[in-house]
Amino acid sequence: MSPAADTGSRGSGDGRERGGGASAGAGGGAGAGAGRGAGAGRGASAGRGASAGGGAGAAPSPPLDALYREHAARLLALLVRELRDFGLAEEALQEAWEAALRQWPRDGRPANPAGWLLTVARRRARDRLRRAGTEARTLPLLIVDEDGGAAAAAAAGSAPGVAGAAGAPPPGVSGLGEQVEEEQEAIPDERLRLIFTSCHPALAPEARLALTLRYVAGLPTRAVARLLLVSEATMAARLTRAKRKIAASGIPYRVPVGDELPARLGSVLAVVYLLFTEGHLPSSGPRVVRAELCAEAIGLARLLRELLPGEPEATALLALTVLQHARRDARVDARGRLVRLPDQDRTRWRRDEIAEGLALLRAAELEAVAAASIAGAAARGAGAAARGAGAAARGAGAAARGARAAARGAGAAADAAAPGPYLLEARIAAEHDRAATAAATDWPAIAALYGQLEAVKPTPAVRLARAVAVSEADGPAAALPLLDGVEQALPHSPQPHLARAELLRALAREEEALAAYDRALALSRNEAVRAHLAARRGELARGR
Amino acid sequence: MLYALLMYQDADFDTQWERASDAERAAVYRQHGDFSTLLESRGAERGGHELALAATATTVRKADDTAADGVVTDGPFAELAEHLGGFYIVEARDLDEALEYAKALPVRTVEVRAIITDDQRAE
């Protein structure tokens, strides 16, 4: 199940968050088999990329858990592609990790740990298939595109270590352990496939969140359960169900192309942003900010940007999350209460992170311009093709279909030219972050941006945010009509009632404001938000 | 993989269908004909049938799976808002392709289910 051991407080992806809370863990002693339950390790800090090892401090090499997290997603992604079976790939990698925990502390860490893990995992998978007598399995459980399948079969067959595995002693029996030739092979990055599979729209939303944290972020099941506020058993069952659905329903293991990419990319970005907002504004529980969840989401956004270079919405999502997360310290007061944006101590905003977020936003803007000009050229081409095909068609079915496809292409290209929702949201976050004081906030600009956002993403949540911005820009009377219908569209959210209460209060309609506070209180499950609501209501009630 | 595309009709479809003119019915059949043409052009068609109206269904309920006898009742198995109206069997590379076919169907609700083949059972 969970490599890196089902245990341990983790550091967040952001070393600053935890001050390097990782004990240099993965205690080899807990080793064998302990990965399934007993604590093999603690606190993989950081994990990926540049920040790896940063939290662990003085250790000359990263702790084993950090090392595992750095490589887990990449190794799993490759193994799933080769083996065409999510469960088998996961088990093989888990066994390889357990072997590493036994062997590395004794024999020293190999020069190429990822290559070592890959070789042993392939060997274990081959052993399992042989034991199960399904070596020549006729039907893949997980479909791979044809070229990928062929390449994968070749890779599995010729993998160093796999061929020689027949005579190898079983693990743990021989004192020699795994004999692995030094691997020089570069490990191809198949993580994008893993991400698109984990975020497939045919999976339930909560399953997408769980799969993404477990397999893309490489967190142990227990950590995923804690982040998503369910028990470990519930999370384990949810992951098992999700993997069964992937295998049984034929959810593909590939990166979508062409027409289908924009919608599927939207699904991936939505998963990451939902994880972020659950951390930024938890829907339940005692805390106002769950920075560790925000940090995981930002880590995933960084990964997406790395894997989708030049994709403006991926860059914009990263900019947006970084810009919002930079305000986290000011959003909670010393007693753990929510502090609203106008009341925040802006000296506690993290200037270095804001600078990074603004730089990312500029990058996203440039990428959007580039994408729009490419899309514009494509649209002109497609339009011409459509006209040509239409003229040539005169009822010929194939040509007519071609013309329709070209017209669709042109439509998609036109959509691509408009700023995407994450770019607009990042611009909004940047407006707030740039304002030196609350009074200096450019509310007319923000209200206009929300108007644009509502045009591309007409959801009640966007309408709600726009109403708040319009209230600041043009006064509460202008904003109040915008809230009509929002409460009904978000029947479980206290936020529209809170917004209405504040607008009514500003308009001195106190009775109605109190009633709206009461409705908000009745719906709020986040204790910090409840405290804020009760305080606001109390002020108004006393003031009358 | 093989997939079943299960087409669900609104519960009042029976009435609508009975009242439909010949031209209206022909239009619906033409849409399904187009869909079959699409499947054939991609070598994906593996079968399928229109089912008789849900009101004409008969349901057998037994005490348990292996009971020898059961109660026979008139009508579909559950009083759902939508009834199974027919199905196609298609060959698709993966769920994405099956969903593409489902979206091309002239039916509001389509349930997509992978079919377990003998080969898979043997595994």
Side-chain angles (χ1 to χ4, degrees), chain A residues 347-367:
Chain A
T347 63
R348 300 183 65 205
W349 290 1
R350 301 200 182 194
R351 290 292 148 195
D352 53 340
E353 293 179 26
I354 291 174
E356 190 207 352
L358 293 175
L360 286 164
L361 175 57
R362 283 191 295 276
E365 300 280 8
L366 291 174
E367 289 166 9

PDB file of all heavy atoms in Angstrom, chain A residues 347-367:
ATOM      1  N   THR A 347       1.738  43.890   6.714  1.00  0.00           N
ATOM      2  CA  THR A 347       3.180  43.655   6.911  1.00  0.00           C
ATOM      3  C   THR A 347       3.448  42.166   7.124  1.00  0.00           C
ATOM      4  O   THR A 347       4.587  41.720   7.025  1.00  0.00           O
ATOM      5  CB  THR A 347       3.714  44.430   8.133  1.00  0.00           C
ATOM      6  OG1 THR A 347       3.062  43.931   9.312  1.00  0.00           O
ATOM      7  CG2 THR A 347       3.457  45.916   7.987  1.00  0.00           C
ATOM      8  N   ARG A 348       2.399  41.394   7.425  1.00  0.00           N
ATOM      9  CA  ARG A 348       2.591  39.959   7.636  1.00  0.00           C
ATOM     10  C   ARG A 348       2.416  39.155   6.342  1.00  0.00           C
ATOM     11  O   ARG A 348       2.518  37.934   6.361  1.00  0.00           O
ATOM     12  CB  ARG A 348       1.634  39.457   8.716  1.00  0.00           C
ATOM     13  CG  ARG A 348       1.856  40.159  10.051  1.00  0.00           C
ATOM     14  CD  ARG A 348       0.964  39.601  11.131  1.00  0.00           C
ATOM     15  NE  ARG A 348       1.298  38.208  11.431  1.00  0.00           N
ATOM     16  CZ  ARG A 348       0.447  37.335  11.951  1.00  0.00           C
ATOM     17  NH1 ARG A 348      -0.803  37.699  12.213  1.00  0.00           N
ATOM     18  NH2 ARG A 348       0.824  36.113  12.208  1.00  0.00           N
ATOM     19  N   TRP A 349       2.092  39.829   5.275  1.00  0.00           N
ATOM     20  CA  TRP A 349       2.081  39.129   3.989  1.00  0.00           C
ATOM     21  C   TRP A 349       3.517  38.831   3.588  1.00  0.00           C
ATOM     22  O   TRP A 349       4.425  39.633   3.851  1.00  0.00           O
ATOM     23  CB  TRP A 349       1.420  39.993   2.911  1.00  0.00           C
ATOM     24  CG  TRP A 349      -0.061  40.160   3.094  1.00  0.00           C
ATOM     25  CD1 TRP A 349      -0.829  39.647   4.103  1.00  0.00           C
ATOM     26  CD2 TRP A 349      -0.943  40.902   2.250  1.00  0.00           C
ATOM     27  NE1 TRP A 349      -2.136  40.025   3.939  1.00  0.00           N
ATOM     28  CE2 TRP A 349      -2.235  40.787   2.822  1.00  0.00           C
ATOM     29  CE3 TRP A 349      -0.774  41.640   1.083  1.00  0.00           C
ATOM     30  CZ2 TRP A 349      -3.351  41.394   2.238  1.00  0.00           C
ATOM     31  CZ3 TRP A 349      -1.890  42.245   0.506  1.00  0.00           C
ATOM     32  CH2 TRP A 349      -3.165  42.112   1.080  1.00  0.00           C
ATOM     33  N   ARG A 350       3.706  37.730   2.933  1.00  0.00           N
ATOM     34  CA  ARG A 350       5.076  37.317   2.588  1.00  0.00           C
ATOM     35  C   ARG A 350       5.482  37.948   1.253  1.00  0.00           C
ATOM     36  O   ARG A 350       5.029  37.516   0.188  1.00  0.00           O
ATOM     37  CB  ARG A 350       5.152  35.803   2.531  1.00  0.00           C
ATOM     38  CG  ARG A 350       4.752  35.207   3.863  1.00  0.00           C
ATOM     39  CD  ARG A 350       5.251  33.825   4.019  1.00  0.00           C
ATOM     40  NE  ARG A 350       4.783  33.298   5.311  1.00  0.00           N
ATOM     41  CZ  ARG A 350       5.247  32.208   5.875  1.00  0.00           C
ATOM     42  NH1 ARG A 350       6.196  31.519   5.279  1.00  0.00           N
ATOM     43  NH2 ARG A 350       4.773  31.801   7.027  1.00  0.00           N
ATOM     44  N   ARG A 351       6.337  38.935   1.375  1.00  0.00           N
ATOM     45  CA  ARG A 351       6.707  39.738   0.202  1.00  0.00           C
ATOM     46  C   ARG A 351       7.435  38.920  -0.858  1.00  0.00           C
ATOM     47  O   ARG A 351       7.229  39.116  -2.059  1.00  0.00           O
ATOM     48  CB  ARG A 351       7.598  40.915   0.639  1.00  0.00           C
ATOM     49  CG  ARG A 351       6.865  41.971   1.430  1.00  0.00           C
ATOM     50  CD  ARG A 351       5.863  42.712   0.558  1.00  0.00           C
ATOM     51  NE  ARG A 351       4.712  43.118   1.362  1.00  0.00           N
ATOM     52  CZ  ARG A 351       3.539  43.521   0.870  1.00  0.00           C
ATOM     53  NH1 ARG A 351       3.365  43.571  -0.439  1.00  0.00           N
ATOM     54  NH2 ARG A 351       2.549  43.848   1.658  1.00  0.00           N
ATOM     55  N   ASP A 352       8.287  37.996  -0.405  1.00  0.00           N
ATOM     56  CA  ASP A 352       9.031  37.199  -1.394  1.00  0.00           C
ATOM     57  C   ASP A 352       8.077  36.324  -2.199  1.00  0.00           C
ATOM     58  O   ASP A 352       8.238  36.149  -3.413  1.00  0.00           O
ATOM     59  CB  ASP A 352      10.108  36.349  -0.698  1.00  0.00           C
ATOM     60  CG  ASP A 352       9.544  35.511   0.436  1.00  0.00           C
ATOM     61  OD1 ASP A 352       8.448  35.843   0.944  1.00  0.00           O
ATOM     62  OD2 ASP A 352      10.185  34.511   0.806  1.00  0.00           O
ATOM     63  N   GLU A 353       7.052  35.797  -1.531  1.00  0.00           N
ATOM     64  CA  GLU A 353       6.102  34.950  -2.250  1.00  0.00           C
ATOM     65  C   GLU A 353       5.225  35.778  -3.190  1.00  0.00           C
ATOM     66  O   GLU A 353       4.877  35.334  -4.283  1.00  0.00           O
ATOM     67  CB  GLU A 353       5.250  34.167  -1.249  1.00  0.00           C
ATOM     68  CG  GLU A 353       6.086  33.162  -0.475  1.00  0.00           C
ATOM     69  CD  GLU A 353       5.289  32.369   0.542  1.00  0.00           C
ATOM     70  OE1 GLU A 353       4.061  32.216   0.352  1.00  0.00           O
ATOM     71  OE2 GLU A 353       5.889  31.915   1.520  1.00  0.00           O
ATOM     72  N   ILE A 354       4.862  36.978  -2.738  1.00  0.00           N
ATOM     73  CA  ILE A 354       4.078  37.857  -3.623  1.00  0.00           C
ATOM     74  C   ILE A 354       4.889  38.188  -4.877  1.00  0.00           C
ATOM     75  O   ILE A 354       4.375  38.165  -5.999  1.00  0.00           O
ATOM     76  CB  ILE A 354       3.636  39.128  -2.878  1.00  0.00           C
ATOM     77  CG1 ILE A 354       2.589  38.760  -1.818  1.00  0.00           C
ATOM     78  CG2 ILE A 354       3.086  40.172  -3.845  1.00  0.00           C
ATOM     79  CD1 ILE A 354       2.169  39.910  -0.918  1.00  0.00           C
ATOM     80  N   ALA A 355       6.177  38.473  -4.658  1.00  0.00           N
ATOM     81  CA  ALA A 355       7.029  38.777  -5.818  1.00  0.00           C
ATOM     82  C   ALA A 355       7.072  37.595  -6.777  1.00  0.00           C
ATOM     83  O   ALA A 355       6.976  37.761  -8.002  1.00  0.00           O
ATOM     84  CB  ALA A 355       8.444  39.134  -5.342  1.00  0.00           C
ATOM     85  N   GLU A 356       7.170  36.381  -6.214  1.00  0.00           N
ATOM     86  CA  GLU A 356       7.181  35.204  -7.077  1.00  0.00           C
ATOM     87  C   GLU A 356       5.854  35.074  -7.821  1.00  0.00           C
ATOM     88  O   GLU A 356       5.814  34.800  -9.027  1.00  0.00           O
ATOM     89  CB  GLU A 356       7.440  33.929  -6.259  1.00  0.00           C
ATOM     90  CG  GLU A 356       7.693  32.721  -7.145  1.00  0.00           C
ATOM     91  CD  GLU A 356       7.324  31.383  -6.519  1.00  0.00           C
ATOM     92  OE1 GLU A 356       6.989  31.329  -5.314  1.00  0.00           O
ATOM     93  OE2 GLU A 356       7.370  30.376  -7.255  1.00  0.00           O
ATOM     94  N   GLY A 357       4.747  35.291  -7.082  1.00  0.00           N
ATOM     95  CA  GLY A 357       3.428  35.170  -7.695  1.00  0.00           C
ATOM     96  C   GLY A 357       3.231  36.181  -8.824  1.00  0.00           C
ATOM     97  O   GLY A 357       2.681  35.849  -9.883  1.00  0.00           O
ATOM     98  N   LEU A 358       3.704  37.404  -8.598  1.00  0.00           N
ATOM     99  CA  LEU A 358       3.555  38.431  -9.644  1.00  0.00           C
ATOM    100  C   LEU A 358       4.400  38.087 -10.865  1.00  0.00           C
ATOM    101  O   LEU A 358       3.967  38.286 -12.010  1.00  0.00           O
ATOM    102  CB  LEU A 358       3.941  39.808  -9.086  1.00  0.00           C
ATOM    103  CG  LEU A 358       3.006  40.358  -7.997  1.00  0.00           C
ATOM    104  CD1 LEU A 358       3.553  41.659  -7.424  1.00  0.00           C
ATOM    105  CD2 LEU A 358       1.599  40.576  -8.544  1.00  0.00           C
ATOM    106  N   ALA A 359       5.588  37.543 -10.623  1.00  0.00           N
ATOM    107  CA  ALA A 359       6.428  37.134 -11.757  1.00  0.00           C
ATOM    108  C   ALA A 359       5.758  35.992 -12.531  1.00  0.00           C
ATOM    109  O   ALA A 359       5.770  35.969 -13.773  1.00  0.00           O
ATOM    110  CB  ALA A 359       7.812  36.698 -11.260  1.00  0.00           C
ATOM    111  N   LEU A 360       5.150  35.067 -11.800  1.00  0.00           N
ATOM    112  CA  LEU A 360       4.430  33.972 -12.461  1.00  0.00           C
ATOM    113  C   LEU A 360       3.249  34.509 -13.260  1.00  0.00           C
ATOM    114  O   LEU A 360       2.952  34.017 -14.357  1.00  0.00           O
ATOM    115  CB  LEU A 360       3.946  32.957 -11.418  1.00  0.00           C
ATOM    116  CG  LEU A 360       5.021  32.054 -10.822  1.00  0.00           C
ATOM    117  CD1 LEU A 360       4.510  31.377  -9.552  1.00  0.00           C
ATOM    118  CD2 LEU A 360       5.445  30.989 -11.851  1.00  0.00           C
ATOM    119  N   LEU A 361       2.573  35.504 -12.698  1.00  0.00           N
ATOM    120  CA  LEU A 361       1.440  36.094 -13.416  1.00  0.00           C
ATOM    121  C   LEU A 361       1.911  36.723 -14.728  1.00  0.00           C
ATOM    122  O   LEU A 361       1.268  36.552 -15.774  1.00  0.00           O
ATOM    123  CB  LEU A 361       0.734  37.127 -12.530  1.00  0.00           C
ATOM    124  CG  LEU A 361      -0.396  37.912 -13.194  1.00  0.00           C
ATOM    125  CD1 LEU A 361      -1.472  36.978 -13.739  1.00  0.00           C
ATOM    126  CD2 LEU A 361      -1.019  38.900 -12.208  1.00  0.00           C
ATOM    127  N   ARG A 362       3.045  37.453 -14.664  1.00  0.00           N
ATOM    128  CA  ARG A 362       3.567  38.027 -15.907  1.00  0.00           C
ATOM    129  C   ARG A 362       3.882  36.919 -16.918  1.00  0.00           C
ATOM    130  O   ARG A 362       3.586  37.049 -18.112  1.00  0.00           O
ATOM    131  CB  ARG A 362       4.831  38.848 -15.619  1.00  0.00           C
ATOM    132  CG  ARG A 362       4.537  40.222 -15.012  1.00  0.00           C
ATOM    133  CD  ARG A 362       5.779  41.106 -14.989  1.00  0.00           C
ATOM    134  NE  ARG A 362       6.821  40.589 -14.117  1.00  0.00           N
ATOM    135  CZ  ARG A 362       6.881  40.799 -12.796  1.00  0.00           C
ATOM    136  NH1 ARG A 362       5.942  41.508 -12.196  1.00  0.00           N
ATOM    137  NH2 ARG A 362       7.866  40.302 -12.085  1.00  0.00           N
ATOM    138  N   ALA A 363       4.456  35.833 -16.437  1.00  0.00           N
ATOM    139  CA  ALA A 363       4.756  34.709 -17.340  1.00  0.00           C
ATOM    140  C   ALA A 363       3.476  34.154 -17.951  1.00  0.00           C
ATOM    141  O   ALA A 363       3.409  33.862 -19.149  1.00  0.00           O
ATOM    142  CB  ALA A 363       5.509  33.618 -16.574  1.00  0.00           C
ATOM    143  N   ALA A 364       2.434  34.031 -17.118  1.00  0.00           N
ATOM    144  CA  ALA A 364       1.156  33.499 -17.620  1.00  0.00           C
ATOM    145  C   ALA A 364       0.561  34.422 -18.669  1.00  0.00           C
ATOM    146  O   ALA A 364       0.008  33.964 -19.673  1.00  0.00           O
ATOM    147  CB  ALA A 364       0.183  33.298 -16.455  1.00  0.00           C
ATOM    148  N   GLU A 365       0.678  35.742 -18.431  1.00  0.00           N
ATOM    149  CA  GLU A 365       0.146  36.693 -19.410  1.00  0.00           C
ATOM    150  C   GLU A 365       0.849  36.528 -20.758  1.00  0.00           C
ATOM    151  O   GLU A 365       0.203  36.513 -21.809  1.00  0.00           O
ATOM    152  CB  GLU A 365       0.341  38.141 -18.918  1.00  0.00           C
ATOM    153  CG  GLU A 365      -0.343  38.469 -17.597  1.00  0.00           C
ATOM    154  CD  GLU A 365      -1.844  38.767 -17.750  1.00  0.00           C
ATOM    155  OE1 GLU A 365      -2.377  38.568 -18.857  1.00  0.00           O
ATOM    156  OE2 GLU A 365      -2.466  39.173 -16.755  1.00  0.00           O
ATOM    157  N   LEU A 366       2.165  36.384 -20.705  1.00  0.00           N
ATOM    158  CA  LEU A 366       2.921  36.212 -21.953  1.00  0.00           C
ATOM    159  C   LEU A 366       2.539  34.912 -22.649  1.00  0.00           C
ATOM    160  O   LEU A 366       2.366  34.863 -23.870  1.00  0.00           O
ATOM    161  CB  LEU A 366       4.432  36.230 -21.665  1.00  0.00           C
ATOM    162  CG  LEU A 366       5.001  37.577 -21.221  1.00  0.00           C
ATOM    163  CD1 LEU A 366       6.463  37.435 -20.829  1.00  0.00           C
ATOM    164  CD2 LEU A 366       4.853  38.600 -22.354  1.00  0.00           C
ATOM    165  N   GLU A 367       2.390  33.858 -21.851  1.00  0.00           N
ATOM    166  CA  GLU A 367       2.000  32.568 -22.445  1.00  0.00           C
ATOM    167  C   GLU A 367       0.607  32.660 -23.072  1.00  0.00           C
ATOM    168  O   GLU A 367       0.347  32.053 -24.109  1.00  0.00           O
ATOM    169  CB  GLU A 367       2.030  31.475 -21.371  1.00  0.00           C
ATOM    170  CG  GLU A 367       3.449  31.122 -20.936  1.00  0.00           C
ATOM    171  CD  GLU A 367       3.483  30.297 -19.651  1.00  0.00           C
ATOM    172  OE1 GLU A 367       2.406  29.858 -19.196  1.00  0.00           O
ATOM    173  OE2 GLU A 367       4.583  30.107 -19.110  1.00  0.00           O
TER     174      GLU A 367
END
